[in-house]
Amino acid sequence: MCGIVGIVGKGPATPRLVDGLLRLEYRGYDSAGVATLVDGHIERRRAEGRIRNLEALLLEQPLAGSTGIGHTRWATHGAPNENNAHPHATEKVAVVHNGIIENFAELKAELVAKGRKFATDTDTEVVAHLLTVLILEGLSPEAAMAAAMHRLHGAFALAVIVAGRPDLLLAARRGSPLAIGYGEGEMYVGSDALALAPLTKMISYLDDGDWAVLTTDGAQVYDQNDKKVAREVRETVLSGALVGKGNFQHFMQKEIFEQPAVIGDTLRSYVNPATHRVTLPELPADLATLKRVQLVACGTSFYAASVARYWIEQLARLPCDVEIASEFRYRDPVLEEGGLSMFVSQSGETIDTLSALRFARGRGQKIAAIVNVPESSMAREADALLATHAGPEIGVASTKAFTTQLAVLAAFAFAAARARGTQSPERLATLAQAIAGIPEKVSGVLAADDRIRAAAKIVAPARDVLYLGRGTAFPIAMEGALKLKEISYIHAEGYAAGEMKHGPIALIAPDVPVIVLAPNDEWFEKTASNVQEVRARGGQVVLFSDKAGIAKIGNLAVAAIELPSCDPFVAPILYSVPVQLLAYYVALIKGTDIDKPRNLAKSVTVE
Ligand code: F6R
């Protein structure tokens, strides 16, 4: 993953590089560093851990220079310590890198044989040495960059400064995203437009395989065949303002509480509040005659897609496959020519999902993307964009992006059902009503905040936790378990409640809390039997249900938390919220770094 930023400019570079890095910290926070040219020489400052450690170092040891590069790291090759922190430098160049150089071992052996001495365990250092050797062999830095691009395998974005050339910044992109920013007498590169937003609104995006030469006057972009090309420069809508936490203790908490508002914002794009009519943007497929749809995603977005499969098949009788993106293309799936593949992603940059999108396009699929970041690679590459309007999600554990994805997918399932004539006008009217009413119901769920906080005390001491649900509550059980794992570091598993007796029931013990999601839907009675089975074995049940459900089985639970009753269709959206809050309050008790949990990054741009 990692975030990179670069400036070839006229003013002091370091504070602006650090500001750019702060906007990219969602991409990784294992270490951070900057390098600039001071009197033509490369100077670096690097620190393990958060960017604030780098800021502290820069206070003690400031770094001058108007041309420089910066990096915030999510470690792939080499431990996350200062020595492995980027930029990596030689006497000639300094390099920052996002991605993986897959043939680094082979290149390293070749460069070591040429007498180059390596100082780190990273794959990136080969880029610095490769460029250095090429320059020492007599190539100009620009020609060295062109030659290096033909030697490097893998997915990467690079920014490079060259000793003695304060007028020059080199950049390259293969796989990992890279934006170029156009300033006045200055030029910038960044992993995304957000990093550059305070510097400029004028942005272009490198295409895959492009590399670029930036000077204070502008940029010349070359494609993968080293042909000069022009990439469209556009005005970004992103704001330079950093998002704040308001009165909340953590971004995650703020984002959980924003859900009624952002689900409302998202639904307003798809559902007319007066008529309850659902309108989607023009899709590259006719929903009435479509034979099959694939939903492809990772992590939390995959669980949103998994809920949608129930909706799409039950409501619209449209066959639907749900795929984990990192498996999808390597499975060599059979895809019908002209079929519809939909990719679900908060960031729109997750490399597994983006690669799956490109794979599907190569197999003749029409592409729709459900994405939160409107200028992301997936949003740009899709035939149709179904935007979520969650706003910037800063907490690494996804919350509001998930429920807004569900809102869009609910609208999609509804539109498919209407187009295919699979539901009566009366049922469609009730469904539309239920969809339009989600924000208010979610506000009702948030009112249970105190009771969920109290239930967190039951879960916090556990080493293992089980989440159970049936039907659309099953993916929510998996999502709940993922949230708990991510931010509290407690081992948790989400199971289909009916699957428990096939193995996981062996885990039931008084010290393994069992979180049961039991909306009053067609599966309720069966889930209730599973709760009996847990109790019969001494398991401690934390139950989420509505008034009627709690009246029936609340006595079996150590904590029974009442949620608003609702149409079962929208229940998975409502039941997402208490599992987010439960994970949040457990993590609060455990004192973890909730917004930036260990080992994770917000945007995963490596395979
Ligand atoms: C979990 C989480 C991740 C992401 C996954 C995909 O809280 O956020 O599991 O859902 O990395 O990311 P996007 O949705 O950006 O493609």
Side-chain angles (χ1 to χ4, degrees):
M1 273 87 82
C2 310
I4 67 178
V5 61
I7 297 178
V8 50
K10 43 189 187 189
T14 302
R16 296 182 296 156
L17 290 171
V18 171
D19 184 60
L21 292 181
L22 285 167
R23 290 159 198 284
L24 291 171
E25 207 176 11
Y26 71 89
R27 302 175 75 90
Y29 35 81
D30 287 334
S31 65
V34 286
T36 59
L37 291 174
V38 182
D39 300 329
H41 299 292
I42 294 166
E43 292 253 0
R44 290 187 288 171
R45 302 285 182 270
R46 300 177 299 161
E48 185 175 328
R50 298 293 156 76
I51 294 168
R52 59 173 177 258
N53 300 348
L54 175 68
E55 288 180 297
L57 177 69
L58 284 164
L59 274 180
E60 282 170 28
Q61 302 171 33
L63 193 58
S66 56
T67 292
I69 50 181
H71 188 269
T72 181
R73 178 169 190 236
W74 185 80
T76 59
H77 293 59
N81 55 29
E82 185 189 328
N83 188 51
N84 288 328
H86 299 220
H88 293 293
T90 66
E91 67 278 23
K92 287 282 175 209
V93 298
V95 176
V96 286
H97 165 217
N98 163 33
I100 293 177
I101 308 296
E102 286 172 358
N103 59 336
F104 84 98
E106 173 195 323
L107 288 172
K108 186 169 177 176
E110 182 185 316
L111 290 160
V112 168
K114 288 189 175 169
R116 300 303 304 176
K117 297 228 173 332
F118 282 72
T120 77
D121 309 317
T122 65
D123 53 337
T124 307
E125 202 184 352
V126 297
V127 182
H129 284 288
L130 179 62
L131 288 168
T132 303
V133 164
L134 292 166
I135 291 171
L136 290 174
E137 284 173 358
L139 294 187
S140 68
E142 295 86 341
M145 191 71 179
M149 285 297 281
H150 294 285
R151 298 294 321 277
L152 300 172
H153 298 169
F156 50 81
L158 295 168
V160 180
I161 53 171
V162 182
R165 293 289 307 271
D167 59 325
L168 182 67
L169 175 64
L170 298 167
R173 176 207 169 158
R174 190 181 301 152
S176 308
L178 199 61
I180 292 186
Y182 292 74
E184 283 178 18
E186 295 200 316
M187 292 292 292
Y188 319 103
V189 292
S191 292
D192 65 21
L194 197 61
L196 306 181
L199 301 172
T200 180
K201 294 262 175 245
M202 301 314 292
I203 297 288
S204 71
Y205 291 93
L206 291 186
D207 272 6
D208 237 17
D210 283 356
W211 60 279
V213 176
L214 283 78
T215 63
T216 47
D217 299 333
Q220 177 57 62
V221 181
Y222 299 85
D223 70 8
Q224 56 191 349
N225 301 315
D226 304 326
K227 261 190 33 213
K228 284 186 180 178
V229 283
R231 301 290 175 221
E232 183 196 347
V233 181
R234 54 176 102 172
E235 196 170 342
T236 173
V237 295
L238 297 171
S239 150
L242 278 176
V243 181
K245 284 201 281 262
N247 291 327
F248 291 93
Q249 205 177 336
H250 293 95
F251 280 108
M252 182 180 178
Q253 186 189 24
K254 170 174 173 260
E255 288 160 3
I256 291 172
F257 277 85
E258 274 171 8
Q259 288 176 110
V262 294
I263 294 171
D265 291 346
T266 302
L267 286 175
R268 259 189 292 286
S269 305
Y270 300 95
V271 185
N272 181 320
T275 60
H276 292 166
R277 206 173 160 74
V278 175
T279 5
L280 299 179
E282 197 178 331
L283 290 173
D286 179 1
L287 290 180
T289 55
L290 190 64
K291 293 215 171 51
R292 177 168 287 279
V293 60
Q294 333 274 348
L295 298 176
V296 185
C298 300
T300 287
S301 300
F302 171 75
Y303 296 137
S306 305
V307 170
R309 173 167 53 179
Y310 287 85
W311 285 340
I312 293 168
E313 294 205 327
Q314 285 181 347
L315 274 192
R317 309 309 302 153
L318 170 60
C320 175
D321 294 317
V322 184
E323 301 268 1
I324 293 176
S326 56
E327 290 294 320
F328 175 63
R329 65 192 171 125
Y330 297 114
R331 202 168 59 71
D332 197 13
V334 180
L335 302 173
E336 263 177 55
E337 181 73 29
L340 179 66
S341 289
M342 295 175 60
F343 296 83
V344 187
S345 174
Q346 188 285 126
S347 61
E349 299 293 352
T350 302
I351 196 75
D352 290 319
T353 314
L354 183 59
S355 308
L357 181 155
R358 291 172 180 162
F359 167 85
R361 185 182 288 297
R363 291 283 176 99
Q365 294 285 287
K366 300 289 182 205
I367 308 292
I370 298 176
V371 166
N372 193 41
V373 179
E375 293 179 20
S376 59
S377 302
M378 282 180 228
R380 285 181 281 127
E381 292 188 27
D383 299 316
L385 171 64
L386 280 72
T388 53
H389 298 285
E393 191 181 59
I394 310 294
V396 164
S398 189
T399 53
K400 60 177 182 166
F402 178 66
T403 46
T404 53
Q405 286 167 349
L406 287 174
V408 173
L409 286 160
F412 174 83
F414 178 95
R418 197 184 49 213
R420 300 166 82 82
T422 47
Q423 299 295 323
S424 66
E426 296 73 36
R427 178 64 183 138
L428 284 177
T430 337
L431 284 171
Q433 196 86 36
I435 293 173
I438 297 168
E440 200 187 323
K441 293 278 184 190
V442 171
S443 296
V445 177
L446 289 169
D449 183 46
D450 284 348
R451 274 162 292 146
I452 298 169
R453 189 175 190 142
K457 294 194 190 117
I458 301 167
V459 178
R463 203 192 62 176
D464 305 290
V465 179
L466 275 181
Y467 284 72
L468 301 179
R470 280 177 182 256
T472 51
F474 166 39
I476 304 303
M478 293 193 283
E479 168 62 4
L482 179 66
K483 288 286 91 90
L484 191 72
K485 278 186 263 215
E486 284 185 294
I487 61 168
S488 75
Y489 315 145
I490 294 175
H491 171 243
E493 297 297 336
Y495 265 94
E499 188 65 7
M500 185 186 62
K501 58 188 175 291
H502 299 291
I505 199 162
L507 296 174
I508 305 284
D511 60 348
V512 180
V514 181
I515 317 299
V516 179
L517 308 177
N520 216 340
D521 55 20
E522 61 189 283
W523 301 283
F524 178 83
E525 298 302 338
K526 299 222 178 289
T527 307
S529 304
N530 301 130
V531 172
Q532 295 282 6
E533 291 155 15
V534 172
R535 275 309 297 141
R537 285 153 185 88
Q540 304 291 309
V541 173
V542 175
L543 175 71
F544 293 102
S545 191
D546 66 1
K547 195 178 175 117
I550 286 177
K552 285 183 197 158
I553 52 169
N555 60 325
L556 298 173
V558 280
I561 295 151
E562 185 183 321
L563 304 179
S565 55
C566 61
D567 188 301
F569 177 68
V570 299
I573 304 185
L574 269 60
Y575 281 67
S576 306
V577 178
V579 296
Q580 297 166 349
L581 282 171
L582 184 66
Y584 174 76
Y585 286 122
V586 172
L588 202 60
I589 295 171
K590 301 209 75 166
T592 59
D593 193 345
I594 293 181
D595 284 331
K596 291 195 168 60
R598 69 185 183 202
N599 302 339
L600 298 179
K602 184 78 186 151
S603 178
V604 184
T605 56
V606 293
E607 274 198 71

